Amino acid sequence: EKMKITETIFQDGTHKWVAIVRDPDKPNFLVDTNEYLVTHGGQGMLLDPGGAEIFPAVFSALSSEFDPSALAAVFASHQDPDICSSLALWLEFNPKMRCYVSWLWNSFIPHFGGTAETFISIPDEGMDINLAGLTLRTVPAHYLHSSGNFNLYDKVAKILFSGDVGAALLPADQNGLFVEDFDKHIRHAEGFHRRWMGSNEAKRRWCERVSQLEIDMLCPQHGAIYRGADVQRFISWFDDLQVGIVKG
Ligand code: FE
């Protein structure tokens, strides 16, 4: 039985955030990913829908919460295969589904599927996405790690989906949904951020930008969710880290 765990991390009426995490059957050679479903007024948007290889696990988990044919859109933080190589498979359930992605990738992502109508390009400065009356803001996170890269902010839920920012590659015995011990957790994030993140200047600007947002939960695409004081703790830690470094 291929099934990921779903956990509702925010709910107010039809407005929900559901984390789809921790695939028990996923082979170890695939990096573990978190997908997030945002629903509002009967519409849904899936954030970083994941790789083609794990589609059955994400699909069955999502179906337990929401009708997949009512997915209005997917949001792709960037172009990587673990982010959106499942695109064509989702489109089979709703061919009218849209894919929001940086303008930089709007002729590359179609290699994963879709038609000219599928893609909505996000300009570098970001844009608002309307989900049945709920406004979701795409927040620039360029070069962190991809050169055309966005986070997604929900100011009502006070949740920032941060893509690869905040990602941690956790050992099997430390796989809780939330960060519990920041110092212990962040060791599993450090190497990843140093090597994958491309620009100290872009990182400094991201830290300034998101410090101005009210964030209760910072939700990355790999690893655990930062909440409460750990959100600012993460931003400060990241601000101090030197990135864009290859050893040797
Ligand atoms: Fe990536």
Side-chain angles (χ1 to χ4, degrees), residues 85-180:
S85 64
S86 61
L87 183 63
L89 299 163
W90 291 104
L91 281 163
E92 281 181 30
F93 289 89
N94 179 10
K96 289 194 161 67
M97 192 188 78
R98 296 290 186 260
C99 175
Y100 290 90
V101 66
S102 163
W103 69 273
L104 213 61
W105 301 118
N106 67 2
S107 64
F108 291 75
I109 303 256
H111 283 275
F112 291 141
T115 65
E117 288 71 47
T118 306
F119 299 95
I120 299 174
S121 293
I122 309 171
D124 278 345
E125 66 274 20
M127 65 185 278
D128 286 339
I129 297 174
N130 185 314
L131 189 68
L134 174 72
T135 300
L136 298 164
R137 179 79 196 164
T138 59
V139 178
H142 306 305
Y143 300 104
L144 305 173
H145 67 88
S146 169
S147 43
N149 200 74
F150 285 97
N151 296 167
L152 188 93
Y153 180 60
D154 178 340
K155 69 170 187 286
V156 178
K158 299 189 175 79
I159 294 176
L160 180 72
F161 169 64
S162 58
D164 278 332
V165 179
L169 307 173
L170 300 171
D173 63 344
Q174 203 180 312
N175 66 351
L177 181 59
F178 294 99
V179 173
E180 299 300 344

Side-chain angles (χ1 to χ4, degrees), residues 78 80 82-83 145 164 196 221:
H78 61 291
D80 277 343
D82 64 319
I83 301 297
H145 67 88
D164 278 332
W196 282 89
Q221 194 235 349

